Amino acid sequence: MRKHKNEIVTHRKPSLGLSLIPILSVFILLLLALLKYRVDIQIPLITASIIAAVISVVVLKNPWADIEKGIIGSIINAMQAILIACIIGLIIGSWIAGGIVPSLIYYGLKLLSPRFFLVTCLLVCSVVSVSTGSSWTTCGTLGVAMVGIGSAMGIPASITAGCVVSGAYFGDKMSPFSDTTNLAPAVSGTTLFAHIRHMMYTTSVSFVIACILYFLVNFKYVSHSRTSKDIVTVTAVLRDHFTISPLLLLPLLILFCMIYFKIPAIPGLIFSVLLGVFCALAIQGASIIEVGRCLSYGFTMDSGNEMLDKLLTKGGLQNMMWTVSLILCSLTFGGIMHQSGMLETIAESILKIAKSNGSLICATGFTAVMINVICGEQYLSILITGKMYSSEYKNRDLAPQNLSRTLEDFGTITSPLIPWTTCAVAISTYLSIPTLNYAPYAFLNLINPFVAIVFAITGFSIKKRSSISPEDIVDA
């Protein structure tokens, strides 16, 4: 049989045992790297990729050319995300140098109540992310400021970062402007707004629980009398080192407007970099050499205030290269697993034990999380899982909204919690908080999958295909 030029052919179907070898390898190697040897996790991912490639070539008899196609295809799928990650590194550097982030922190400390800060942070980040549809932009701009405000109020940065991530991913799920919110219904065979309406059941319950938890946590760390002196000190240091002005809040508003009116992401973000450069030159009085250094290596704060120095020393293109290398290593492993058919074998084995509708939905969610772990990319989690299970949902008379909601309840929402995914790597770099530090406090992201499991087991809000409007069903 002639093979099409771009077609990838698997010469032997892998067994479940064989398919699990790279998975077990990557888990063991990552645990050793993180807990014992304290080495960067790129090395375990590269090692696991070599193991997967050897199995694919030696045992499954796949030609190396096909493996390369799998790797390159996986990277190409995430190339826009990689470019955006780099550009947001430029935004952070230029916006700190331009006084935009310091002004956000300054006025936030003036306006926000320490006693209700975490709930306010969750609500504000949720509104912004719903308006823009971009969790990364929310974390890389407003999120940086919120971490600074929280630190000045006595709230650990990891807790505030978890709150920011919760709010940002509420919008990543629920915004009609979000890529994942459009991708999930498209791959499942339903409409955008039918998908959003169906997500309201699980997401609203998770959001309310998260609000309550942040409200309770807030009291543990914040005492108004204890933090007022620190807040005065921080605002004074900001005034001494930056020109603070309400006009410096306009670039954030302009950025949100560009995203809201669907200006393409990369041109819009580059324009935001130019706004930061303009503010640095015209308002802060920085030289071109200083601005160029901030764009390349990030802004360096040297005020004598340890908290502010740590918070505002970040950004820059070169500081994103570690992030990019980790993303590439993760995508390489995922590409090999997908090309070799090992990922498909694991998913098929899961499907065999999913007898009831509830277990099918739970299996779908587990697969989405698993692909996040293996491939390191939420888009692949939604695409691959959706394609694997869409026909089974149709055969069981389950509405496609059930599938699309499950893809987001597990695939989208867990992506910033797994340290080597593109989302987690980017966000931890933007906020300067390791993923494992903020993950325990990303309450919305942690709660949402469990709420979805409860709904699946009880059958609450699970719709039948035959009972929904034909207008809510489209060709996937």
Side-chain angles (χ1 to χ4, degrees):
M1 179 182 290
R2 172 179 276 181
K3 184 173 77 170
H4 188 272
K5 181 179 179 181
N6 295 320
E7 184 182 357
I8 296 175
V9 176
T10 301
H11 290 260
R12 176 183 164 190
K13 186 175 178 64
S15 65
L16 178 61
L18 197 64
S19 301
L20 289 175
I21 292 175
I23 303 299
L24 294 175
S25 299
V26 77
F27 272 121
I28 293 170
L29 291 169
L30 285 169
L31 287 174
L32 289 173
L34 292 171
L35 301 179
K36 184 176 181 179
Y37 296 110
R38 305 291 181 182
V39 299
D40 289 340
I41 58 179
Q42 286 94 329
I43 305 306
L45 288 170
I46 291 173
T47 306
S49 298
I50 293 171
I51 294 171
V54 169
I55 292 173
S56 184
V57 172
V58 176
V59 181
L60 301 178
K61 306 301 181 182
N62 290 316
W64 175 251
D66 283 358
I67 295 176
E68 281 191 352
K69 288 178 183 178
I71 294 171
I72 293 170
S74 177
I75 293 172
I76 288 174
N77 284 333
M79 187 53 64
Q80 185 189 43
I82 293 171
L83 292 175
I84 289 174
C86 292
I87 296 171
I88 293 181
L90 296 174
I91 289 178
I92 293 172
S94 64
W95 278 30
I96 296 176
I100 300 167
V101 170
S103 292
L104 284 168
I105 296 173
Y106 180 88
Y107 290 112
L109 289 171
K110 294 288 187 181
L111 297 175
L112 297 178
S113 168
R115 292 188 180 275
F116 304 101
F117 170 71
L118 288 176
V119 175
T120 306
C121 176
L122 177 66
L123 293 173
V124 170
C125 289
S126 297
V127 170
V128 170
S129 61
V130 168
S131 302
T132 63
S134 175
S135 56
W136 286 20
T137 304
T138 302
C139 292
T141 53
L142 186 64
V144 174
M146 286 294 181
V147 170
I149 296 168
S151 298
M153 291 179 174
I155 300 175
S158 57
I159 295 179
T160 306
C163 187
V164 168
V165 170
S166 289
Y169 273 81
F170 176 84
D172 205 314
K173 278 191 66 181
M174 302 303 295
S175 173
F177 311 117
S178 168
D179 290 344
T180 56
T181 312
N182 282 272
L183 182 60
V187 108
S188 304
T190 188
T191 63
L192 172 63
F193 289 104
H195 167 60
I196 292 175
R197 287 194 303 270
H198 202 52
M199 281 199 298
M200 286 299 297
Y201 291 102
T202 54
T203 309
S204 59
V205 172
S206 304
F207 189 82
V208 170
I209 296 173
C211 279
I212 295 171
L213 291 175
Y214 285 124
F215 181 78
L216 296 174
V217 169
N218 215 131
F219 281 102
K220 180 179 179 180
Y221 290 97
V222 174
S223 168
H224 182 69
S225 60
R226 181 175 65 84
T227 61
S228 58
K229 182 179 178 181
D230 296 330
I231 291 173
V232 170
T233 300
V234 170
T235 53
V237 172
L238 289 172
R239 284 197 308 269
D240 291 341
H241 288 79
F242 298 94
T243 299
I244 304 295
S245 169
L247 293 176
L248 289 171
L249 305 181
L250 287 178
L252 183 65
L253 178 61
I254 292 170
L255 173 61
F256 293 154
C257 289
M258 286 190 296
I259 298 175
Y260 182 83
F261 289 109
K262 299 184 180 180
I263 303 298
I266 290 177
L269 292 174
I270 289 175
F271 184 72
S272 298
V273 175
L274 297 178
L275 288 174
V277 170
F278 173 80
C279 291
L281 294 172
I283 299 178
Q284 303 300 329
S287 67
I288 293 178
I289 294 176
E290 290 172 331
V291 172
R293 189 177 296 115
C294 288
L295 292 175
S296 293
Y297 302 103
F299 184 84
T300 301
M301 182 74 170
D302 186 16
S303 66
N305 184 294
E306 184 179 355
M307 186 274 291
L308 275 180
D309 290 348
K310 183 178 179 181
L311 175 71
L312 297 179
T313 300
K314 63 177 57 180
L317 179 62
Q318 297 305 320
N319 287 331
M320 293 304 301
M321 291 302 104
W322 187 93
T323 301
V324 171
S325 69
L326 179 52
I327 291 172
L328 292 176
C329 292
S330 178
L331 293 173
T332 296
F333 179 66
I336 296 171
M337 290 295 294
H338 183 45
Q339 176 276 335
S340 64
M342 288 187 275
L343 195 59
E344 184 180 359
T345 295
I346 296 171
E348 288 175 353
S349 301
I350 294 172
L351 188 57
K352 289 178 182 178
I353 62 175
K355 304 298 183 182
S356 66
N357 290 340
S359 62
L360 173 63
I361 292 172
C362 291
T364 306
F366 176 78
T367 303
V369 175
M370 181 185 68
I371 294 175
N372 263 335
V373 172
I374 296 171
C375 298
E377 173 53 56
Q378 66 176 0
Y379 295 132
L380 294 179
S381 174
I382 292 172
L383 280 168
I384 295 172
T385 308
K387 289 178 180 178
M388 285 179 177
Y389 291 102
S390 59
S391 60
E392 188 66 21
Y393 276 70
K394 186 176 182 179
N395 293 338
R396 298 193 187 190
D397 192 37
L398 288 171
Q401 294 98 302
N402 299 307
L403 174 58
S404 63
R405 184 176 76 181
T406 304
L407 295 176
E408 294 240 61
D409 283 343
F410 291 87
T412 299
I413 209 74
T414 62
S415 59
L417 306 180
I418 301 164
W420 51 89
T421 64
T422 55
C423 296
V425 173
I427 289 170
S428 63
T429 304
Y430 300 154
L431 301 179
S432 298
I433 308 291
T435 302
L436 295 180
N437 287 13
Y438 72 68
Y441 304 104
F443 294 145
L444 178 72
N445 305 68
L446 294 170
I447 293 166
N448 196 197
F450 291 101
V451 172
I453 289 172
V454 171
F455 279 32
I457 294 174
T458 61
F460 180 72
S461 77
I462 305 302
K463 295 184 177 182
K464 291 291 186 179
R465 187 182 185 94
S466 55
S467 64
I468 64 173
S469 170
E471 295 179 353
D472 290 339
I473 300 177
V474 295
D475 291 330

